[in-house]
Amino acid sequence: MNVNLLILQFIGHLLGDYIFQTDASAKEKNENGFKSKFIFKHTLITFISSLVLSFDFNFTLCSLGIAASHLIIDGLKHKLNKGRFSFFIDQTLHIVMIVLFVWMFELYFKENPLLKITNTKLLLIITGYLICLKPANIFIREVLVVAKIESISDTTTELKNAGKVIGILERILVLTFVIIGKLEIIGFMIAAKSILRYKDTNTIKTEYVLIGTMLSFGIAMLAGLLIERF
């Protein structure tokens, strides 16, 4: 299988399902399925992202297949996946379909790319940084939902969305330090964040933040270590 094409399609999925989709439209789509006013726009974005990042007009039918499967999965999500694991089931199905259509393209179509990208590590680095943005925030939130850990964020004393921005920044820094081989700096970052929370007497809140921090650092470090294996 063309690994680079597969990574490019995964990047397209990250862009279409996270970067180019707002939380409000995602929520409305998940609640209304095929009746959603956003679902067909989202499907079009999925198709465009897939085709553009294939750099190959011969991939058009496969991009249509990926978009169509995305439409069906998202349209049925509110009926089929109502439990705590719905996010993970949904994303697994999307990824399986991407793998399937890339595999079919390799079997039944001839590659004729307008731009042939051969640097796998560069693609993985781009993927890693994209994951560290909005996708990681949503993943952490859904892990906490699965673990039945309720949010205890107090919006009266904390800046709105500040935790999300801090999480994104720390993941970008951690991923960068792993890639350049400066793992010792990550230890200083964890220590610095611990000091900031040291005087917080709210034990439940401190534990909640700790869980989120460990997940956040873990995602970035795992992404960096996987990239470094190539």
Side-chain angles (χ1 to χ4, degrees), residues 47-123:
F47 168 70
I48 293 173
S49 298
S50 173
L51 182 59
V52 169
L53 286 173
S54 71
F55 299 105
D56 192 336
F57 287 117
N58 289 346
F59 197 74
T60 301
L61 287 177
C62 291
S63 292
L64 284 171
I66 289 172
S69 67
H70 204 102
L71 172 65
I72 294 171
I73 293 168
D74 283 2
L76 296 175
K77 182 179 178 181
H78 71 298
K79 292 184 177 180
L80 300 178
N81 306 322
K82 295 182 179 180
R84 290 178 291 143
F85 296 93
S86 61
F87 168 80
F88 299 99
I89 295 173
D90 171 74
Q91 291 302 303
T92 299
L93 289 174
H94 287 319
I95 293 172
V96 166
M97 297 309 298
I98 288 172
V99 173
L100 176 63
F101 279 104
V102 170
W103 174 69
M104 289 176 60
F105 179 72
E106 291 291 302
L107 284 180
Y108 301 110
F109 295 87
K110 183 179 179 180
E111 289 186 62
N112 186 27
L114 299 174
L115 175 64
K116 191 171 182 64
I117 300 176
T118 58
N119 193 333
T120 303
K121 187 169 183 177
L122 175 61
L123 293 178

Side-chain angles (χ1 to χ4, degrees), residues 69-210:
S69 67
H70 204 102
L71 172 65
I72 294 171
I73 293 168
D74 283 2
L76 296 175
K77 182 179 178 181
H78 71 298
K79 292 184 177 180
L80 300 178
N81 306 322
K82 295 182 179 180
R84 290 178 291 143
F85 296 93
S86 61
F87 168 80
F88 299 99
I89 295 173
D90 171 74
Q91 291 302 303
T92 299
L93 289 174
H94 287 319
I95 293 172
V96 166
M97 297 309 298
I98 288 172
V99 173
L100 176 63
F101 279 104
V102 170
W103 174 69
M104 289 176 60
F105 179 72
E106 291 291 302
L107 284 180
Y108 301 110
F109 295 87
K110 183 179 179 180
E111 289 186 62
N112 186 27
L114 299 174
L115 175 64
K116 191 171 182 64
I117 300 176
T118 58
N119 193 333
T120 303
K121 187 169 183 177
L122 175 61
L123 293 178
L124 288 173
I125 289 173
I126 294 172
T127 303
Y129 278 109
L130 284 175
I131 289 173
C132 286
L133 300 176
K134 187 177 178 181
N137 280 341
I138 296 175
F139 177 81
I140 292 170
R141 182 190 69 195
E142 294 299 326
V143 168
L144 295 176
V145 169
V146 169
K148 296 183 179 181
I149 300 174
E150 297 183 2
S151 173
I152 42 72
S153 179
D154 185 358
T155 56
T156 62
T157 60
E158 297 184 359
L159 294 174
K160 185 178 180 180
N161 294 325
K164 295 179 182 179
V165 175
I166 292 171
I168 289 172
L169 292 174
E170 68 187 15
R171 284 190 297 274
I172 289 175
L173 289 172
V174 169
L175 179 58
T176 301
F177 291 138
V178 173
I179 291 174
I180 65 176
K182 298 295 183 180
L183 297 178
E184 65 275 9
I185 301 179
I186 299 174
F188 286 112
M189 290 179 60
I190 296 174
K193 191 163 186 179
S194 299
I195 292 172
L196 289 174
R197 287 288 179 179
Y198 180 73
K199 293 184 179 181
D200 196 335
T201 57
N202 189 333
T203 303
I204 296 177
K205 183 177 179 180
T206 301
E207 291 177 346
Y208 181 84
V209 172
L210 180 61

